[in-house]
Amino acid sequence: MSFAFWIKTAGAFLFRSGRTTFVLGIMICLAVGTLVFISAVAMGVNDCMILNSTALYSGQISGHGLPRSLSREDLFTRGVSNVLERFEIRGVIESRGKTQAIILVALDPARERKSTFLWKKITAGRYLLGDGPNILISRTLAKDFGVGPGDPLVFRAGTASEVFPVAGIYETGIPSLDTATAFCPRSLSLALPGEWSAAVFLEPGISEERIKQAWAANGVDVSRMKTWQETLPDLTQLIDLNRISMGFVLVLVLGVVAFATASAFAIFIVSRIREYGIMKAMGVTPRETAMLIFFQVVLLNLAAALAGTLAGAGAVFLAGKTGIDLSGFTSHNRYFVVSGTIFPRLTPFSLLLPSALALAFCLAAAVWPIFIVVRKRTADVLRSV
């Protein structure tokens, strides 16, 4: 007999056992839908950590010790949304008899505000003004020197010095920015160093390595350009661990669902063992019997997994409109310094893997009910009726 016949017969069996089919379908549907949503949330958590780590200050690609012969415009290529030019001046700040070595970063406040979120971390005062001397310092430095917005600070670099009124005070929770770094506009009388640093921001979905390859093709020395994966190896590992953990969750949950499905199918088949015995007495071979059960499992899983995938995708769409605010759980986490709002994101991994694993596990679990029917002799089945 043809495959079409056994597919129709399998559908008839499922239709006749409406309540059992419905309960099994709901179980698989809920499992797949939930895992699609959880996988999308996991991707949203990864996206949020990357965004917080790169959008605060550093960008997706950062460059240090760049020569003046390389201009900011040279780094613009397809996929680059902005390039920020910064000059790091090493010196000391003085106030009220206290001194401390710092790195003063001279930058363009207007351009910085378009791409970075350091201005959102201001705790007192305001962000930098583009004209006139003013300085942005960390809360740690402000506390050490006992100064506030409007108070003067003297910055010395070699024999040169500049008096800066404090424009604002920030706090990021990142030690490298909160301990010995301050910011000022480029329009200052101090001589800028011969080398500069770059923070490169990319459009969504653009590969950092592809941008570096484009630069190399244009003759740019990319040895001084580092991607966020290189500068933040701990974040890279954390994201990898998150994906591995999600894989374990998928396997464990769907493994339990598959075992429950196998148990339910076994009970269902045992309760209808007479029908299978009559079919075998009519000449249906063990191979065809196995094919019938196989198609029942496939049809049930395909329908339930499709419904679960659509339900999970719908939940992701609704949650993605407003996001999931986890600020209360991330207030002391440096990977959520800008925002703790998670926006679930569907990917081929989160959309297709749960349903594919559900089908694979349930097909493997179908071996048990198939074995129950195939190994029983027709005479034994009919004799037990």
Side-chain angles (χ1 to χ4, degrees), residues 24 27-28 254-267 297 300-301 358 361-362 365-366 368-369:
L24 289 176
M27 181 174 59
I28 297 172
L254 292 176
V256 172
V257 171
F259 179 78
T261 303
S263 301
F265 258 101
I267 296 172
V297 175
L300 175 62
N301 274 272
F361 273 108
C362 287
W368 180 19

Side-chain angles (χ1 to χ4, degrees), residues 89-112:
I89 309 171
R90 296 182 182 274
V92 296
I93 54 173
E94 300 176 358
S95 178
R96 302 175 184 178
K98 295 182 180 180
T99 62
Q100 181 173 332
I102 67 164
I103 298 175
L104 182 63
V105 182
L107 43 76
D108 186 328
R111 288 176 181 169
E112 292 279 336

Side-chain angles (χ1 to χ4, degrees), residues 65-322:
L66 304 178
R68 285 289 190 97
S69 59
L70 178 68
S71 69
R72 170 177 173 267
E73 288 71 22
D74 292 334
L75 297 181
F76 275 97
T77 186
R78 186 177 181 181
V80 175
S81 61
N82 200 6
V83 177
L84 301 179
E85 187 179 30
R86 298 160 179 167
F87 295 88
E88 298 179 357
I89 309 171
R90 296 182 182 274
V92 296
I93 54 173
E94 300 176 358
S95 178
R96 302 175 184 178
K98 295 182 180 180
T99 62
Q100 181 173 332
I102 67 164
I103 298 175
L104 182 63
V105 182
L107 43 76
D108 186 328
R111 288 176 181 169
E112 292 279 336
R113 190 155 183 160
K114 289 180 180 179
S115 297
T116 66
F117 291 101
L118 185 62
W119 60 273
K120 287 188 174 182
K121 307 306 293 181
I122 304 296
T123 59
R126 51 168 174 72
Y127 191 60
L128 293 171
L129 294 177
D131 297 326
N134 57 111
I135 191 171
L136 186 67
I137 63 173
S138 67
R139 185 169 178 268
T140 301
L141 288 176
K143 185 177 180 181
D144 291 342
F145 283 90
V147 297
D151 294 336
L153 283 175
V154 178
F155 176 78
R156 300 186 187 277
T159 59
S161 65
E162 179 93 28
V163 178
F164 290 97
V166 175
I169 299 170
Y170 71 89
E171 184 178 23
T172 65
I174 300 176
S176 60
L177 292 176
D178 287 351
T179 53
T181 304
F183 303 92
C184 72
R186 286 183 56 180
S187 56
L188 72 170
S189 60
L190 294 173
L192 297 177
E195 297 180 336
W196 61 286
S197 300
V200 182
F201 293 82
L202 308 182
E203 296 173 0
I206 300 298
S207 167
E208 292 83 6
E209 290 300 327
R210 200 194 84 181
I211 296 299
K212 291 182 67 174
Q213 291 172 5
W215 286 339
N218 292 331
V220 176
D221 181 11
V222 296
S223 61
R224 298 177 183 271
M225 312 298 291
K226 303 294 183 183
T227 65
W228 68 265
Q229 293 92 339
E230 296 172 302
T231 57
L232 297 171
D234 53 339
L235 177 58
T236 304
Q237 288 186 344
L238 186 60
I239 290 174
D240 290 338
L241 287 173
N242 195 15
R243 289 170 178 163
I244 293 172
S245 300
M246 194 63 241
F248 279 126
V249 171
L250 288 173
V251 171
L252 290 175
V253 172
L254 292 176
V256 172
V257 171
F259 179 78
T261 303
S263 301
F265 258 101
I267 296 172
F268 169 70
I269 287 171
V270 168
S271 65
R272 297 184 176 274
I273 194 68
R274 175 185 177 184
E275 297 178 6
Y276 288 100
I278 294 173
M279 291 172 60
K280 294 177 75 173
M282 295 171 59
V284 176
T285 65
R287 176 176 173 273
E288 291 171 330
T289 304
M291 190 184 305
L292 174 62
I293 299 175
F294 172 82
F295 283 135
Q296 289 182 59
V297 175
V298 170
L299 290 177
L300 175 62
N301 274 272
L302 286 178
L306 177 61
T309 300
L310 293 176
V316 171
F317 176 76
L318 293 176
K321 286 187 173 182
T322 57

